[in-house]
Amino acid sequence: RVGRLSVAWKRCKPIFLASLIMATAFSITRTAAAVSSASRRVTSVRAAVKPSAKKATMRPINDRRRRVAHFAGRDSCRAVVAGATGSADDLLVDDESGLLDFVANDVDCIVMDCDGVLWQGETLLPGVRESIQLLREMGKRLVFVTNNSNKSRRQYVHKFEKLGIFVEKEEVFSAAFAAAAYLKTQKFEKKAMVIGGQGIVDELNEMYLEVDPGVFNAVQCTEMDWEELDIDPDCGAVIVGQDTSFTYAKLAYASLAIQRGAVFVATNPDAGDAIGPGLMPGAGAIVAAVEKASGVSPEIYAGKPSAFLLELLKGNHVDMARTLVVGDRLDTDIAFGRAGGAGATVLTLSGVCDLEDVDAAMEEGGDIPNHIVQSLPHMLGLNPEDAAAIEFVEDDQEDDREGDNTASRDDLDDYLDDEGFADDDDMLFDSMDDQEARDAFGGRV
């Protein structure tokens, strides 16, 4: 019996090996075709950046599937918002090129939020690197404005670099920086107690402002502790931002310092950020607790949508009339752009707010965007998966220069999975196609 199996194996072995080789060749061919297709589509987007006189019109959208708004000029943008009496669907962009023509011809500067637009937590959103690269190639000035106060500007530059994006510190405006800058402009010379991340402390240090350590990381404050609570007489301000180590003891110290006259500075009003399973509590939640405990409202919200932050931007030669503001929140990002007289505002659906929030804002007379897009890549007419494939190819080419590495179909699939893309039917292994390919090469099994 063993002898028969051995003979059978000797007969089948050449056919088996030939089939394996043909299947591998077919897989490599499919990989090359997929990457080539992605490259052509992204290249066509870049070619479309050239100035165009083409005008576009709105057309009604009857569903809320993945769609992205198109306009050619600023006047049409304002006209649509001024007459927005319908629903959020009317602001969705319905054009494969997104807002590319408008950005190319009518925008000099793009002010972008970070959380929910560029990344979620520590995860870069698909196609963001390619989008920023395209905007750089178009010669647009980029400004990154974030209400997240956990990091300083230097730390944000480091985060960008870790995600493969290179920015200058002067291109980053954070709520932590704005809070410290506000005290500096007020000629503040006392100590500031901080409820928040290291970013606030670092920005205060950069401006040579002294920090009051408060209660450090003490957790509890009993009635006896409260009666003996010793507030530094030189504590002249309390800065409150998002604090992942927030404790009752910090709340007690901050509220008493404010009751005794310390200036109450809030970094931003954001209630939370869309991360993972839901909204992670943000600075606004902690600010509300301090406000309730002290009975005093913040003297200023330093981050978006404050007029102070707007003045910081204008002081850095940002012409708001030719600026596009992109964000994922109506109450901060869009409100900031509208209050500052931005040329246009864009809401991305990759973060906190959705179409229902825009509908509610329309009914209540709140701030609404000029346009709504699925994501930053869609705004520029890029398919996030195409952009991810291009990043994969560029990374692989860099690897090839350093060593002899060859990309495979599995490598590309793994990369796209890591970037958050679901399996696409036309990219899956098809047994019939595979058999046809084998037949074509004479590799029947």
Side-chain angles (χ1 to χ4, degrees):
R1 185 175 299 175
V2 173
R4 290 197 196 108
L5 290 175
S6 177
V7 171
W9 167 245
K10 288 181 180 179
R11 291 177 178 176
C12 294
K13 184 177 178 180
I15 298 176
F16 173 78
L17 292 177
S19 300
L20 182 61
I21 292 171
M22 292 306 103
T24 302
F26 180 66
S27 177
I28 293 174
T29 301
R30 287 168 62 86
T31 300
V35 172
S36 176
S37 175
S39 301
R40 288 196 301 271
R41 279 180 282 188
V42 174
T43 301
S44 66
V45 169
R46 286 189 170 136
V49 169
K50 297 178 180 179
S52 170
K54 179 182 178 181
K55 295 293 180 180
T57 57
M58 281 289 287
R59 59 181 180 181
I61 300 174
N62 298 320
D63 58 57
R64 296 194 169 188
R65 292 173 297 175
R66 185 178 142 195
R67 293 178 180 266
V68 275
H70 70 298
F71 294 93
R74 189 183 309 112
D75 292 338
S76 61
C77 296
R78 290 174 175 166
V80 168
V81 171
T85 57
S87 69
D89 292 316
D90 299 325
L91 303 180
L92 281 166
V93 181
D94 185 27
D95 193 300
E96 289 186 357
S97 64
L99 296 171
L100 192 61
D101 284 347
F102 172 61
V103 172
N105 299 316
D106 297 294
V107 173
D108 296 331
C109 175
I110 295 92
V111 172
M112 280 182 277
D113 181 37
C114 295
D115 294 281
V117 175
L118 306 182
W119 57 63
Q120 287 186 355
E122 298 301 315
T123 303
L124 190 70
L125 292 174
V128 165
R129 273 191 293 264
E130 181 70 14
S131 299
I132 291 178
Q133 180 182 345
L134 177 58
L135 289 171
R136 297 277 196 203
E137 291 174 358
M138 293 168 68
K140 304 304 176 182
R141 181 179 180 185
L142 304 183
V143 179
F144 305 95
V145 182
T146 174
N147 268 358
N148 191 321
S149 60
N150 289 327
K151 292 180 174 64
S152 66
R153 289 175 298 162
R154 290 186 186 278
Q155 289 171 317
Y156 271 114
V157 169
H158 179 63
K159 178 173 182 176
F160 272 103
E161 288 179 351
K162 283 177 61 179
L163 295 173
I165 301 171
F166 297 95
V167 303
E168 300 291 338
K169 187 182 77 169
E170 290 72 25
E171 293 180 309
V172 180
F173 287 76
S174 69
F177 166 69
Y182 174 74
L183 291 182
K184 193 68 174 179
T185 60
Q186 301 302 305
K187 303 188 184 303
F188 182 79
E189 296 180 351
K190 292 187 175 184
K191 298 179 182 179
M193 185 261 184
V194 174
I195 294 180
Q198 185 63 33
I200 302 174
V201 175
D202 290 346
E203 293 293 356
L204 287 171
N205 289 336
E206 281 209 18
M207 298 186 188
Y208 302 100
L209 296 175
E210 194 172 354
V211 176
D212 174 11
V215 294
F216 294 96
N217 286 320
V219 176
Q220 69 176 16
C221 178
T222 65
E223 290 184 8
M224 184 178 295
D225 294 331
W226 174 261
E227 291 176 357
E228 298 176 355
L229 191 58
D230 184 22
I231 304 296
D232 188 330
D234 204 29
C235 178
V238 174
I239 300 179
V240 181
Q242 185 186 43
D243 190 336
T244 56
S245 300
F246 185 56
T247 67
Y248 188 83
K250 290 182 180 181
L251 175 63
Y253 190 97
S255 65
L256 187 56
I258 293 171
Q259 291 176 58
R260 292 184 176 178
V263 177
F264 183 6
V265 177
T267 58
N268 59 290
D270 303 53
D273 292 311
I275 300 175
L279 282 180
M280 181 177 177
I286 300 176
V287 170
V290 175
E291 182 176 356
K292 284 290 185 181
S294 65
V296 178
S297 298
E299 178 172 300
I300 185 176
Y301 283 95
K304 295 174 291 188
S306 77
F308 176 75
L309 179 57
L310 184 62
E311 290 305 313
L312 286 180
L313 282 179
K314 291 180 177 178
N316 279 267
H317 311 291
V318 173
D319 179 6
M320 292 300 292
R322 290 187 59 84
T323 293
L324 178 67
V325 176
V326 184
D328 69 314
R329 298 185 65 106
L330 296 173
D331 57 346
T332 55
D333 303 314
I334 303 307
F336 179 68
R338 302 288 293 167
T345 57
V346 173
L347 178 75
T348 67
L349 300 179
S350 52
V352 174
C353 289
D354 55 24
L355 296 173
E356 285 69 26
D357 295 319
V358 178
D359 284 334
M362 286 180 167
E363 294 177 2
E364 298 166 5
D367 289 302
I368 59 174
N370 296 98
H371 317 294
I372 301 174
V373 297
Q374 288 293 324
S375 65
L376 181 63
H378 287 113
M379 185 185 81
L380 300 174
L382 293 173
N383 183 313
E385 185 167 350
D386 288 348
I390 293 301
E391 291 167 5
F392 170 80
V393 173
E394 291 174 346
D395 290 345
D396 183 65
Q397 289 173 342
E398 181 65 28
D399 291 339
D400 285 343
R401 285 191 287 271
E402 297 175 359
D404 186 17
N405 298 316
T406 302
S408 69
R409 172 71 231 180
D410 290 339
D411 292 333
L412 179 57
D413 286 341
D414 290 343
Y415 182 82
L416 293 178
D417 287 342
D418 291 340
E419 291 292 313
F421 295 105
D423 288 335
D424 195 347
D425 290 341
D426 64 357
M427 301 291 279
L428 293 175
F429 177 79
D430 189 307
S431 59
M432 294 183 64
D433 287 346
D434 182 62
Q435 186 63 56
E436 290 175 2
R438 295 186 190 188
D439 293 344
F441 282 95
R444 282 187 174 82
V445 178

